[in-house]
Amino acid sequence: MSSITGKTKICGIIGDPIEHTMSPAMHNAAFEALGLDYIYLPFRVRREELKGAINGIRALNIAGLNVTIPHKSDVIPLLDKLDPLAEGMGAVNTIVSEDGKLIGYNTDAPGFLQALRAKGIEPEGKKVVILGAGGAAKGISFILAEAGASLVILNRTLSRAVALAAQIAKSYGRSAKAMILNEENLKQALPGADVLVNTTSVGMVPDMNETPVPAGLLQPDLTVFDIVYNPRETRLLREAKAASARTIDGLDMLVWQGARAFEKWTGREAPFEVMKQAAVKELADER
Ligand code: NAP
């Protein structure tokens, strides 16, 4: 980090807990690589302090913030403006302070799409099977529907998959199929699918031996995208590779969402590889 002066611009992340965030490592490495006079700090903010923290952005002239669990929805009424994707998703992960106005964006789902496109996959006309119907699944299914993919959503709790499919039909005029996540339905959904996306937390530390899909259902024509990033190679991705399927890991999505936020705060193209190496190192140091 270059020295901090009276001109240094401040960015950061608010959440609770915040100890394990990789964002400070990614953004500070990017600022340094481009010689930008910025610093990125972690702020642990409890639920009851959220309003004070957002007022603090204005009071302290902070340039921008990332927002993580548990504040992504609660922050919305405290902002001045939302971009349409963040509004549709009901979740903000990036705040930009523009002339004293706080604008809320969501760069998680665009980060997912960019990671997919970086591997040469254009969603239009593709059949995508999504596992999960939580916060991450919502943004990912919205952005895929918007990009012209046809979707099948499988979730442990059927009602959440049904509700998400209904929202997609309402917002994008595309019908999405909703099913319970089990082996029988996976056998029905996977043949003919181009992309399988795991948005459940199955396979994440400490349950690294778990997988949401039996290995026998994975085949070479499939691209398997697991958004879990800890561990980087989940059991699902390991078994997908063994089945000669193409794989994309969650770290790429994480770094692309950070890159998008960086670009909004600085107006500069983010150094993706620098950010990725910083995140890889941070993940290794956590072990
Ligand atoms: P969330 O809103 O809590 O949703 C969790 C989802 O996982 C739900 O669909 C839930 O099903 C399902 N699930 C949890 N345990 C399960 C189990 N044992 N069996 C089957 N399904 C199970 O969480 P989220 O914010 O969407 O995050 C989900 C995962 O994505 C986390 O691992 C997170 O770290 C990762 N993520 C990665 C990125 C990235 O940039 N790479 C970004 C965001 C999130 P029910 O509805 O039945 O509970």
Side-chain angles (χ1 to χ4, degrees):
M1 191 192 321
S2 53
S3 60
I4 296 170
T5 71
K7 293 185 201 132
T8 304
K9 292 191 176 157
I10 299 169
C11 294
I13 180 163
I14 55 170
D16 186 18
I18 204 69
E19 291 79 13
H20 299 292
T21 177
M22 293 196 280
S23 295
M26 281 197 298
H27 286 286
N28 286 320
F31 293 146
E32 191 163 343
L34 297 193
L36 298 175
D37 191 7
Y38 279 70
I39 186 168
Y40 187 104
L41 300 167
F43 299 103
R44 180 179 173 202
V45 173
R46 293 191 176 84
R47 275 185 192 276
E48 58 275 21
E49 301 291 353
L50 181 62
K51 194 170 179 188
I54 299 304
N55 283 337
I57 306 179
R58 302 178 210 270
L60 299 173
N61 194 27
I62 286 174
L65 284 184
N66 281 133
V67 181
T68 188
I69 290 166
H71 304 311
K72 286 185 178 186
S73 304
D74 294 345
V75 78
I76 288 176
L78 306 173
L79 303 176
D80 297 306
K81 208 174 135 191
L82 289 184
D83 96 317
L85 182 66
E87 189 165 12
M89 286 175 60
V92 160
N93 81 326
T94 301
I95 300 173
V96 181
S97 177
E98 278 175 24
D99 303 323
K101 297 262 180 260
L102 301 184
I103 327 261
Y105 295 91
N106 195 304
T107 68
D108 281 327
F112 167 86
L113 190 58
Q114 206 151 348
L116 198 63
R117 285 183 167 149
K119 292 283 159 105
I121 298 164
E122 184 49 53
E124 189 171 8
K126 299 282 191 310
K127 178 180 170 188
V128 182
V129 174
I130 297 178
L131 311 180
K138 194 170 175 182
I140 288 170
S141 50
F142 280 13
I143 212 151
L144 285 172
E146 193 177 28
S150 75
L151 305 180
V152 182
I153 300 163
L154 293 96
N155 194 44
R156 179 177 63 179
T157 309
L158 180 62
S159 58
R160 292 184 87 188
V162 169
L164 184 51
Q167 254 185 308
I168 290 162
K170 190 170 164 225
S171 304
Y172 299 99
R174 302 186 72 87
S175 69
K177 215 168 174 176
M179 299 167 122
I180 288 200
L181 175 53
N182 60 29
E183 187 167 346
E184 197 187 324
N185 287 338
L186 282 167
K187 272 186 190 152
Q188 236 189 77
L190 284 174
D194 301 291
V195 182
L196 167 70
V197 187
N198 176 42
T199 77
T200 74
S201 44
V202 177
M204 190 175 141
V205 286
D207 301 316
M208 287 152 66
N209 281 326
E210 309 266 314
T211 177
V213 183
L217 298 182
L218 302 166
Q219 36 82 15
D221 294 340
L222 203 58
T223 295
V224 179
F225 193 149
D226 195 338
I227 75 161
V228 169
Y229 56 81
N230 194 7
R232 204 169 157 203
E233 187 174 75
T234 56
R235 180 174 165 193
L236 173 64
L237 290 185
R238 212 166 45 245
E239 292 180 345
K241 270 182 199 160
S244 304
R246 199 155 27 162
T247 60
I248 309 176
D249 66 51
L251 199 73
D252 277 1
M253 172 175 167
L254 183 83
V255 179
W256 279 118
Q257 69 71 30
R260 284 294 183 93
F262 179 95
E263 287 165 3
K264 291 191 184 303
W265 297 325
T266 64
R268 298 280 299 271
E269 191 181 333
F272 177 82
E273 280 307 324
V274 168
M275 296 177 83
K276 185 164 173 177
Q277 286 323 309
V280 168
K281 182 171 179 306
E282 197 66 11
L283 208 51
D285 289 350
E286 276 239 323
R287 294 276 155 81

